[in-house]
Amino acid sequence: HPAVLFEGSIFFERLSAHSDLVGPNSSCVVTTSNTAATAMPFLISVLQPPNLKVVADSWLDFTSCHGPIDAQRSAVLCLKKLCSSSMSADDAFTFVAVKAIFSFLHDRCGRRKFQHFSEFRSLALSRAVVSFFEDCQMLEGEVIALIQSFLNAQVTGKDNNEKSFIILQWLLFSRCLASGDALKAFNDSDSDSSLPALIDKARYIARLNASPVLKHSNPPRWQMKCVSANIASVAMTMLLSIDEETGNSGFLFNLKSAKTRCIDMLREENKTYGIRLHSQPIFHLEELVTTACGTSTATSNHSELPSVQISGLRLLVSLFHTFGSQLDNSTNDGTSVLELYSSQIVSSVKHALNSERSLNSVPGTAFHCLFSAGCDSLFVMISKDLISDPVVMRRLLQPILLTPEEVPLVQYPTENGRERDSLLMTTTHVTDDSRSFPLFRLSKLCFLAKVSMLIALGDIKQSTISMVAGELEKEEMGRAIHCAAAAIDGFFLKGIRQNQSGSATTCSGLTFTNTVDLDGSVIQSLTENWPTLSTSAIASIIKAIKTTGTESEEQKSLQQWLAKLTPVVVSGLRISLSNLHSDNKSSTDQLSSTETAALGVYATRLLVRDNACAGEEGPCSTELANIACIVTESVIFKALGLSSQKDIIKNQEHEQSYDKCYKVLVQQSCGLIEDLCNNYRAIGVAAPILTRAVITPLVAIQEKRVMESSTTVIMASCIRSSQSLLLSHTQKGRADFEKALVQLALSLLKDTSGLHEEAKTACLSLLQACCEKTTMSNGEWGEIATFTAVYGLWDAWSVVCSTLPSGYGIKCSIDATKASLGDIQCGPRHATALVALRTALHSACAEDPFVLSFVLQSVGCEILQLLRGHCVRILSGQGFDEHRVVVCAESIKVNIMAFQHLNSMSKDESKFVSFILALFEILVESISYNGMPNHPSGKVGADETIGKMCAQVFVHVARTTPVLFKATMAVISPESRVVLEAAVRADMSGYAAPKRETKKKISLKGFVR
């Protein structure tokens, strides 16, 4: 009886919350303390679909009758309660129950009313029938929510390996339901322990689970396809989160890693298919893509099914996110594994983008959502660099590009003006739902805005940017104005919805006359995309202002739009930053706040850098100072962990949940402080605010009081900002500020191990700026040069020496340089010291040639010693061999500089010959050890490149000073002379291989009897 079933469901729902009332020993009926395990058979029997029969088996056989809908709804709600109960057992939520629920959904989803049934209801149709249709539709929605709850219940409390196995089962099961892939003939042999058998086993189990559902109807109902595709996309998203939690280990989506993992599983004996032995998602990529593309173009009797197609596009987008970054190992050309299916994918996305044209022939209300889903799919394809053909890119972009008629140039509406008529999102098409039609144009605006921001903020290939950038420039000015209008409406609609707490309200805006004229999807798109629309509009408007004529009407109109947008961006930035670390916000809301904050900070940067374009309507210095303080505290300091322990832990959790987006926010926040410092004089933000934002992180990094996640980006930005502050600093207090910055830069270069190249470049630039416009004496800078040479900071040493008077820094630090070159125990020091010394000498000798004489008298012996030690491998081993060629090359270059200097200055020929003779003896020994190209020596560690460099020195001296060369040849030893002459001949002949003498063969045929 329906009442019994209804009360039974209520009983089990109450029992799930108070399981201690009935224990396993209290009654012989109850055999377990778990409510879910006890109630599941009863609840599933209530949801059993009818088994149609011509004649009943007995007078008590009711299997061909439909159960009462109230009892079915109570069973569904009870199951949902059991899923959310922490007392539920794992064995209750099996695939047997899942198959029963899907079978019930398949039976009931055919009983929903027509979407616009209430609008065309006949007077002859009773209200009882209408109520039945409404109840069935409500029941269908509750069953879909129950399926999601079942999936969550099965993975709750499991480790990642078990989670991935369960979710993979759901993924393949949903794929079979969406594609109608029922059970086929299969030789289920557990003895075949191979990777192909493992993959086939996973397919077999999925088809086996799907067959009881598909036996009712195959192909399945369109509602079943829609739900299955949505569940598959949810499963892919859950697998992606598992992969991110495991540190992107890759065995789920990377083919090579997945093969290795499965082979390791197969090596362990006595395993059956399950948690410890199962397939991986990457092996099923082809069938997943085929199902997604087939669902995204699904039809019924040649009629479009937009709801199903949207679900297919969602699944396709989830595949883009999971497999888009995986490279195809078979090609080794950097292409994605999805490139193999590009024709299917492009056709599916193109079909959705052409849905706007379908309204001319096919009426419908879901095509606007289908077009929006197509725009989202194309955006993900562009962000993942999945389109490599410019022709394909142009074809996909063609339906999204706006025409001049769609985005005319409009001034900001006045109170009694008619400009607002051009901004309204109205339709000229005959459509049965004018409230949803504005989503077509709004989706185009949002897509183009997101792509422009992706180029500005994201990390995509230059080839993709070149394909898209030209298309974005079309109608950019008109698009910017309409983006600005939509952004203003979206911002105020979001504020109204938050203040009204979801209650209905009516208002008007720039792009609509009343909210009742807008569909819920249009309002959602406005409220979600206003940050992207506003930022893109500001960037395009500033670009247009720069190109238009001064004091023109067009420029004034653009400045008026910019003035209206600025308060929206600033207010939205304040709200998003306040919500960024709120305890009352969910992870989704915090992710949205992070994206909004990143876009808001970027828009503020544009207004700061081009403050002249905004004029007096731009943000004032007080407002910018407040924003700088908030950004510094809530983003930069939080990223470094300069707060309480609670905030540090929460910040680490945030970084794990939205790592990429949070990094973008940190980069943009640092960029904002940097822009404020660069425009310090023009903007007028108080110097103490910027100094605190810049110096505090650097001091914390120096003292190692920070987290390592965002140190590099923040360090480099703060160093560049400090340089800008120094250059704009007043004379009062400048000397102390300069000394502090120099000390900080040297400390970071010396103490920070593994300093990133960006931060290192910033430190060197700061050091050079301090040295060029210094308040310190040359003596103090000489001490700094000595300090850098002692600690091996040769890049900093080169910067200081190049800025000081010619040769001053070299002379001050010559003792430290001599000690570094003479340290034969440390190979890496030799290479860096010689490179820095040779570079400094090259620039110093141009002004003072005698600096070279001073250097050679001080460290000439050490340079020759290093040349011989590295050439003939007297100094060898770890730290020496990898720098051997560099040390030899730099030593030879310095000696060539010495030769040229002596040739121009020396008057004592005997001393000149003595220097050349000493150099030649070392070079001869090097050639004997290393050989030359096509003239190998055969010795261990020989390098023909070094021998070639030595031979080129002989030829250079012979051609430059032939008289001194002959004088040197006269006094050199005979053995060395032979090697030297051979080297000269080899270099002048291009190191041609020596000709080998061939013996003459006697032809017997030439003898005639």
Side-chain angles (χ1 to χ4, degrees):
H1 192 276
V4 176
L5 300 177
F6 187 82
E7 293 296 335
S9 299
I10 296 175
F11 166 74
F12 284 117
E13 181 181 351
R14 295 292 186 270
L15 189 61
S16 66
H18 305 282
S19 58
D20 55 330
L21 295 179
V22 181
N25 299 324
S26 302
S27 173
C28 61
V29 177
V30 181
T31 59
T32 175
S33 61
N34 183 264
T35 307
T38 306
M40 194 63 69
F42 163 74
L43 296 173
I44 293 300
S45 66
V46 176
L47 301 179
Q48 193 70 28
N51 186 12
L52 300 181
K53 297 178 181 179
V54 177
V55 180
D57 294 337
S58 66
W59 67 282
L60 294 176
D61 184 10
F62 299 99
T63 57
S64 62
C65 300
H66 285 284
I69 192 169
D70 291 338
Q72 291 173 342
R73 283 197 63 200
S74 65
V76 169
L77 295 175
C78 181
L79 282 171
K80 192 173 181 181
K81 179 69 175 179
L82 292 174
C83 290
S84 60
S85 174
S86 60
M87 301 297 293
S88 302
D90 299 340
D91 54 358
F93 305 104
T94 61
F95 252 88
V96 176
V98 174
K99 289 185 285 186
I101 294 173
F102 268 98
S103 298
F104 174 71
L105 175 65
H106 191 278
D107 174 68
R108 280 296 178 184
C109 67
R111 305 176 190 281
R112 62 154 49 175
K113 66 174 183 178
F114 178 61
Q115 188 168 2
H116 296 288
F117 191 82
S118 59
E119 299 174 12
F120 304 103
R121 183 172 63 85
S122 171
L123 295 176
L125 191 63
S126 65
R127 291 193 177 276
V129 176
V130 176
S131 300
F132 175 74
F133 282 148
E134 292 176 350
D135 290 343
C136 287
Q137 189 163 0
M138 186 184 300
L139 178 60
E140 180 184 334
E142 291 168 348
V143 173
I144 294 172
L146 173 61
I147 293 172
Q148 178 68 47
S149 300
F150 247 75
L151 174 58
N152 294 331
Q154 283 195 347
V155 299
T156 301
K158 306 293 192 304
D159 58 23
N160 287 330
N161 189 37
E162 191 172 356
K163 272 185 183 179
S164 62
F165 167 67
I166 295 172
I167 296 172
L168 179 63
Q169 279 188 305
W170 276 83
L171 176 65
L172 299 181
F173 171 70
S174 302
R175 187 208 68 80
C176 290
L177 290 181
S179 60
D181 190 3
L183 185 63
K184 300 177 182 177
F186 178 75
N187 184 17
D188 187 17
S189 176
D190 292 331
S191 59
D192 187 7
S193 298
S194 63
L195 183 58
L198 191 66
I199 300 171
D200 290 338
K201 181 75 173 179
R203 295 193 182 108
Y204 167 76
I205 293 174
R207 290 166 180 159
L208 183 65
N209 290 328
S211 294
V213 183
L214 294 174
K215 73 178 182 180
H216 301 286
S217 175
N218 196 3
R221 299 177 189 267
W222 68 265
Q223 294 96 332
M224 180 64 68
K225 282 187 174 183
C226 186
V227 174
S228 302
N230 285 333
I231 292 296
S233 62
V234 170
M236 288 303 305
T237 304
M238 296 174 74
L239 287 172
L240 180 61
S241 64
I242 291 175
D243 186 62
E244 292 174 349
E245 287 178 9
T246 56
N248 296 317
S249 54
F251 65 85
L252 292 174
F253 310 122
N254 183 268
L255 184 60
K256 186 177 180 180
S257 301
K259 286 182 178 179
T260 304
R261 184 176 179 83
C262 289
I263 291 173
D264 292 340
M265 290 180 177
L266 291 167
R267 284 174 182 168
E268 299 184 22
E269 299 179 356
N270 300 325
K271 275 189 177 182
T272 58
Y273 189 88
I275 297 173
R276 300 182 62 191
L277 180 65
H278 57 268
S279 181
Q280 300 296 339
I282 182 62
F283 300 132
H284 307 276
L285 177 60
E286 182 178 358
E287 55 208 76
L288 288 171
V289 172
T290 302
T291 300
C293 293
T295 310
S296 60
T297 56
T299 58
S300 178
N301 294 328
H302 305 289
S303 298
E304 300 290 338
L305 298 174
S307 300
V308 182
Q309 294 170 0
I310 292 170
S311 301
L313 288 173
R314 288 175 185 156
L315 177 56
L316 201 58
V317 168
S318 66
L319 295 176
F320 294 158
H321 285 297
T322 50
F323 297 103
S325 58
Q326 301 299 326
L327 301 181
D328 188 357
N329 296 327
S330 61
T331 59
N332 292 324
D333 57 355
T335 57
S336 171
V337 291
L338 294 175
E339 188 73 23
L340 297 172
Y341 318 102
S342 58
S343 58
Q344 294 175 265
I345 293 172
V346 169
S347 298
S348 301
V349 176
K350 181 72 172 175
H351 177 270
L353 294 176
N354 288 333
S355 57
E356 185 179 10
R357 303 174 184 176
S358 302
L359 288 179
N360 297 327
S361 56
V362 182
T365 59
F367 286 103
H368 60 286
C369 293
L370 177 61
F371 181 81
S372 178
C375 292
D376 294 338
S377 303
L378 180 57
F379 173 73
V380 177
M381 291 178 69
I382 293 174
S383 64
K384 296 291 182 180
D385 299 307
L386 297 179
I387 305 175
S388 56
D389 189 353
V391 177
V392 173
M393 180 69 80
R394 283 195 295 270
R395 288 177 179 174
L396 289 174
L397 289 175
Q398 195 62 38
I400 307 178
L401 297 179
L402 293 158
T403 61
E405 293 76 16
E406 292 178 296
V407 283
L409 295 176
V410 185
Q411 291 184 351
Y412 189 84
T414 57
E415 187 174 353
N416 299 321
R418 300 181 57 85
E419 297 88 353
R420 189 163 170 265
D421 295 339
S422 301
L423 295 173
L424 293 176
M425 295 185 292
T426 56
T427 174
T428 58
H429 292 257
V430 177
T431 175
D432 55 355
D433 191 359
S434 59
R435 297 172 67 245
S436 62
F437 190 84
L439 191 61
F440 283 112
R441 193 180 74 164
L442 184 59
S443 297
K444 296 178 183 180
L445 290 173
C446 293
F447 170 82
L448 296 171
K450 288 192 288 188
V451 172
S452 63
M453 289 300 97
L454 179 68
I455 296 174
L457 301 178
D459 183 16
I460 60 176
K461 294 180 180 178
Q462 187 61 38
S463 57
T464 305
I465 295 177
S466 61
M467 288 189 291
V468 177
E471 303 296 333
L472 292 179
E473 294 177 356
K474 297 178 180 178
E475 304 301 326
E476 185 176 7
M477 190 181 302
R479 187 181 77 239
I481 291 175
H482 289 265
C483 281
I488 294 172
D489 285 347
F491 174 76
F492 286 108
L493 278 176
K494 187 176 181 67
I496 291 173
R497 294 179 69 181
Q498 289 176 345
N499 295 333
Q500 296 292 334
S501 301
S503 60
T505 183
T506 59
C507 63
S508 62
L510 295 174
T511 58
F512 57 90
T513 55
N514 200 313
T515 50
V516 297
D517 298 332
L518 299 179
D519 183 69
S521 58
V522 179
I523 296 176
Q524 182 181 2
S525 181
L526 283 170
T527 55
E528 288 181 353
N529 293 296
W530 76 263
T532 308
L533 291 169
S534 60
T535 308
S536 175
I538 286 177
S540 298
I541 289 174
I542 289 177
K543 180 181 177 182
I545 290 176
K546 291 180 179 179
T547 57
T548 55
T550 308
E551 299 298 329
S552 62
E553 292 296 326
E554 194 175 66
Q555 187 185 61
K556 292 179 180 178
S557 174
L558 292 172
Q559 286 180 336
Q560 190 177 13
W561 277 105
L562 191 61
K564 299 298 182 181
L565 265 179
T566 300
V568 171
V569 170
V570 172
S571 300
L573 177 58
R574 281 179 169 275
I575 296 172
S576 60
L577 289 176
S578 63
N579 295 334
L580 194 58
H581 301 282
S582 175
D583 295 328
N584 300 325
K585 299 292 182 180
S586 64
S587 59
T588 304
D589 293 336
Q590 288 172 346
L591 176 60
S592 177
S593 298
T594 305
E595 294 175 349
T596 303
L599 291 169
V601 172
Y602 179 72
T604 308
R605 292 185 62 189
L606 294 175
L607 294 172
V608 170
R609 284 185 291 189
D610 298 291
N611 56 84
C613 296
E616 297 180 355
E617 302 296 335
C620 63
S621 59
T622 305
E623 185 67 39
L624 290 174
N626 292 334
I627 293 176
C629 292
I630 298 174
V631 166
T632 302
E633 292 287 346
S634 60
V635 180
I636 299 177
F637 286 1
K638 292 281 186 181
L640 293 174
L642 302 179
S643 55
S644 63
Q645 188 65 26
K646 178 181 177 181
D647 291 335
I648 294 174
I649 295 174
K650 187 164 64 174
N651 186 66
Q652 290 173 340
E653 294 174 353
H654 288 171
E655 287 191 89
Q656 291 176 359
S657 59
Y658 45 90
D659 184 62
K660 183 177 180 180
C661 187
Y662 192 74
K663 285 182 178 178
V664 173
L665 175 59
V666 171
Q667 291 173 354
Q668 294 303 317
S669 300
C670 293
L672 174 61
I673 300 299
E674 195 172 341
D675 290 336
L676 288 173
C677 293
N678 291 333
N679 298 274
Y680 165 65
R681 292 295 183 187
I683 299 297
V685 177
I689 296 176
L690 298 178
T691 304
R692 178 176 177 270
V694 170
I695 300 301
T696 304
L698 293 177
V699 174
I701 292 171
Q702 183 183 9
E703 297 175 355
K704 295 181 173 54
R705 296 187 286 108
V706 299
M707 297 186 298
E708 296 294 331
S709 55
S710 304
T711 302
T712 299
V713 176
I714 297 176
M715 182 194 301
S717 178
C718 288
I719 293 171
R720 290 192 295 266
S721 300
S722 64
Q723 179 178 337
S724 301
L725 288 177
L726 174 67
L727 296 178
S728 59
H729 203 287
T730 59
Q731 292 299 322
K732 183 180 180 181
R734 178 188 172 90
D736 295 335
F737 189 48
E738 179 186 347
K739 290 180 181 180
L741 290 180
V742 170
Q743 182 181 3
L744 181 63
L746 293 176
S747 177
L748 292 174
L749 290 169
K750 173 179 172 290
D751 298 333
T752 308
S753 59
L755 190 64
H756 194 269
E757 190 64 31
E758 183 183 4
K760 183 178 178 181
T761 303
C763 285
L764 296 176
S765 178
L766 172 62
L767 202 61
Q768 183 173 2
C770 292
C771 195
E772 287 177 349
K773 297 183 179 181
T774 183
T775 59
M776 300 165 58
S777 63
N778 289 341
E780 291 175 305
W781 282 108
E783 294 177 1
I784 293 174
T786 303
F787 175 86
T788 55
V790 168
Y791 289 98
L793 308 177
W794 293 106
D795 291 329
W797 180 84
S798 299
V799 168
V800 174
C801 291
S802 63
T803 311
L804 291 175
S806 179
Y808 185 84
I810 299 175
K811 293 177 181 178
C812 292
S813 58
I814 195 64
D815 293 336
T817 306
K818 183 180 180 70
S820 181
L821 295 176
D823 183 9
I824 61 174
Q825 303 298 325
C826 184
R829 294 182 66 184
H830 301 158
T832 54
L834 282 171
V835 170
L837 180 62
R838 194 260 308 166
T839 305
L841 282 174
H842 189 272
S843 59
C845 290
E847 300 179 10
D848 186 5
F850 292 97
V851 174
L852 184 59
S853 300
F854 173 80
V855 172
L856 291 176
Q857 290 175 4
S858 303
V859 298
C861 179
E862 283 76 10
I863 294 175
L864 288 175
Q865 177 181 330
L866 289 178
L867 176 60
R868 182 172 180 271
H870 283 270
C871 281
V872 299
R873 297 191 77 238
I874 297 174
L875 302 175
S876 61
Q878 187 177 4
F880 291 92
D881 292 341
E882 54 265 35
H883 301 96
R884 183 184 173 203
V885 175
V886 176
V887 171
C888 294
E890 295 299 327
S891 299
I892 289 175
K893 289 177 183 178
V894 173
N895 280 285
I896 289 295
M897 292 173 64
F899 163 74
Q900 294 172 345
H901 174 70
L902 291 173
N903 186 34
S904 61
M905 298 293 180
S906 180
K907 298 180 181 180
D908 191 348
E909 183 177 332
S910 60
K911 292 183 179 179
F912 199 2
V913 172
S914 300
F915 167 73
I916 298 177
L917 178 62
L919 178 62
F920 277 15
E921 289 288 355
I922 296 175
L923 298 180
V924 166
E925 188 177 2
S926 174
I927 291 175
S928 300
Y929 184 88
N930 294 284
M932 292 176 292
N934 293 322
H935 299 80
S937 65
K939 296 182 180 180
V940 178
D943 191 335
E944 296 176 356
T945 305
I946 297 176
K948 182 179 179 180
M949 288 189 293
C950 297
Q952 289 173 343
V953 175
F954 295 147
V955 175
H956 175 73
V957 174
R959 289 176 174 174
T960 306
T961 56
V963 176
L964 291 175
F965 181 77
K966 291 180 180 179
T968 306
M969 292 290 288
V971 297
I972 201 170
S973 63
E975 296 82 4
S976 300
R977 187 185 300 115
V978 173
V979 176
L980 193 153
E981 291 174 350
V984 172
R985 285 194 296 269
D987 187 78
M988 298 183 71
S989 65
Y991 302 99
K995 296 182 180 180
R996 297 181 179 179
E997 295 182 1
T998 57
K999 296 182 179 179
K1000 295 182 179 180
K1001 296 182 179 180
I1002 300 176
S1003 177
L1004 298 177
K1005 294 181 180 180
F1007 290 91
V1008 181
R1009 188 174 178 180

